[in-house]
């Protein structure tokens, strides 16, 4: 029997055995908990809070629920998940993914390359440790990238949302009605800012104070402009100033900030172009310009 088939069979057997052991060790829901979940009515706002967990997510959740976390790490991961638009209940799934990748990547390396081909034990141990660390860090890197993308999208959508709210308020609508109209706009249907406004409206309907809900929206997204927007709305409601005028001034301020950031990024392009120019374009240019001259010089030296 070929060695590759033996290695694949050993890998499948070990993975199946580990899966059975983990399935037996992780805590399972009782019959009462499963019946209570079936009795809970499904909400109509699934797009805000994500789809129900799949079987794989449930397994990862059970795996990650056994990982002890310090209060600082728990708070950090919780804030990152909320800022990324993920339910806080998915923290166990996130931690389970980190553990799964930290175990799976070294096992795949050892089975398919390390054991059959790598003879240096120190290199084998080093690669295994590096892959385990990389597998544990990759989900955190993905989460931070998703948070930055969501914050950038909120930053770009905020002026348009402010314009719509200004038009609605000037037409005689209240602040809550203006937010509802903004949430009903089909052009902003996939905007994370609209999702955050829907959460604010649901919290207000549930009895939460509007000022507190707006403040929580700014803290939840970790976007400085949205924090300033929430503070402006809170100050406008407390002082009784014109809401439409405040929205228009704040919208103009945001557009000025966006223009300044665009000019700043444009000014940085000249510095960023230096590195590809020096390392990629100039060497090729020197080869094209100097190589024919060097060939002629070499031929001339040979003839002498």
């Amino acid at each position: 029997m070929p060695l590759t088939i033996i290695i694949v069979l050993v890998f499948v057997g070990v993975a199946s055995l580990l899966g059975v052991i983990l399935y037996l060790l992780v805590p399972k829901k009782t019959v009462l908990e499963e019946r209570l979940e079936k009795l809970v009515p499904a909400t109509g706002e699934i797009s805000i809070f994500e789809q129900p967990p799949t079987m794989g997510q449930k397994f990862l959740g059970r795996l990650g629920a056994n990982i002890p976390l310090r209060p600082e790490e728990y708070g950090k991961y919780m804030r990152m998940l909320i800022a990324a638009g993920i339910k806080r209940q998915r923290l166990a799934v996130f931690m389970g993914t980190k553990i799964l990748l930290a175990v799976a990547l070294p096992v795949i390396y050892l089975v398919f390359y390390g054991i059959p081909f790598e003879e240096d034990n120190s290199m084998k141990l080093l690669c295994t440790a590096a892959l385990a660390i990389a597998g544990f860090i990759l989900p955190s890197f993905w989460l931070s990238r998703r948070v930055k993308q969501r914050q950038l999208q909120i930053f770009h959508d905020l002026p348009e949302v402010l314009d719509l709210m200004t038009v609605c308020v000037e037409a005689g609508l209240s602040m809550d009605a203006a937010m509802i109209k903004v949430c009903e706009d089909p052009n902003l249907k996939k905007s994370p800012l609209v999702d955050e406004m829907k959460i604010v409206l649901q919290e207000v309907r549930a009895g939460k104070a509007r000022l507190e809900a707006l403040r929580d929206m700014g803290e939840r997204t970790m976007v400085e402009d949205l924090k300033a927007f929430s503070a402006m709305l809170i100050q406008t409601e407390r002082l009784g100033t014109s809401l439409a005028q405040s929205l228009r001034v704040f919208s103009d301020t945001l557009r000025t900030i966006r223009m300044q950031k665009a000019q700043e990024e444009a000014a940085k392009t000249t510095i960023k172009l230096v590195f590809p120019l020096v390392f990629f374009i100039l060497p090729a240019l020197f080869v094209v310009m100097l190589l024919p001259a060097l060939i002629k010089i070499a031929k001339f030296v040979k003839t002498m």
Side-chain angles (χ1 to χ4, degrees), residues 74-274:
Y74 180 82
K76 174 186 174 182
Y77 286 131
M78 193 65 69
R79 289 192 298 270
M80 293 287 288
L81 287 172
I82 295 173
I86 303 173
K87 285 199 306 184
R88 64 181 66 191
Q89 289 81 3
R90 300 296 171 90
L91 177 60
V93 178
F94 177 74
M95 298 305 300
T97 305
K98 292 171 74 72
I99 296 300
L100 182 64
L101 288 178
V103 174
L105 291 182
V107 169
I108 293 173
Y109 162 74
L110 290 174
V111 170
F112 290 100
Y113 182 79
I115 296 176
F117 304 107
E118 186 64 49
E119 297 180 356
D120 190 357
N121 292 328
S122 60
M123 181 62 66
K124 190 185 303 183
L125 181 61
L126 180 63
C127 292
T128 303
L131 287 173
I133 295 173
F136 192 80
I137 294 176
L138 279 177
S140 299
F141 177 77
W142 170 83
L143 182 62
S144 62
R145 184 175 179 84
R146 176 165 177 172
V147 170
K148 291 180 181 179
Q149 290 177 352
R150 193 169 187 266
Q151 289 175 344
L152 183 62
Q153 189 174 358
I154 290 175
F155 172 75
H156 288 301
D157 292 342
L158 188 55
E160 184 176 355
V161 170
L162 288 177
D163 290 339
L164 292 175
M165 289 185 64
T166 303
V167 173
C168 294
V169 170
E170 289 179 346
L173 297 179
S174 63
M175 181 176 163
D176 292 341
M179 294 177 68
I180 293 173
K181 288 294 183 182
V182 170
C183 295
E184 293 175 353
D185 189 354
N187 296 327
L188 298 172
K189 186 177 181 180
K190 296 182 180 180
S191 174
L193 180 56
V194 171
D195 294 340
E196 295 294 335
M197 286 187 172
K198 289 180 181 179
I199 295 175
V200 171
L201 292 173
Q202 289 180 351
E203 289 177 347
V204 172
R205 290 171 185 170
K208 194 173 186 178
R210 182 185 297 106
L211 301 182
E212 186 178 354
L214 291 172
R215 188 183 298 110
D216 291 343
M217 179 179 66
E219 295 294 334
R220 187 167 56 244
T221 56
M222 294 193 298
V223 179
E224 295 300 328
D225 294 326
L226 195 56
K227 290 180 181 179
F229 169 66
S230 303
M232 183 271 296
L233 293 180
I234 292 171
Q235 184 178 7
T236 300
E237 186 166 342
R238 285 181 177 176
L239 299 179
T241 56
S242 174
L243 180 60
Q245 184 178 0
S246 300
L247 289 173
R248 191 174 297 279
V249 171
F250 190 77
S251 178
D252 294 338
T253 304
L254 280 182
R255 282 190 169 83
T256 304
I257 294 174
R258 288 174 62 180
M259 180 64 67
Q260 291 174 353
K261 287 187 177 181
Q263 292 175 354
E264 182 181 357
E265 293 296 328
K268 291 180 181 179
T269 54
T270 55
I271 300 175
K272 294 179 180 179
L273 286 174
V274 171

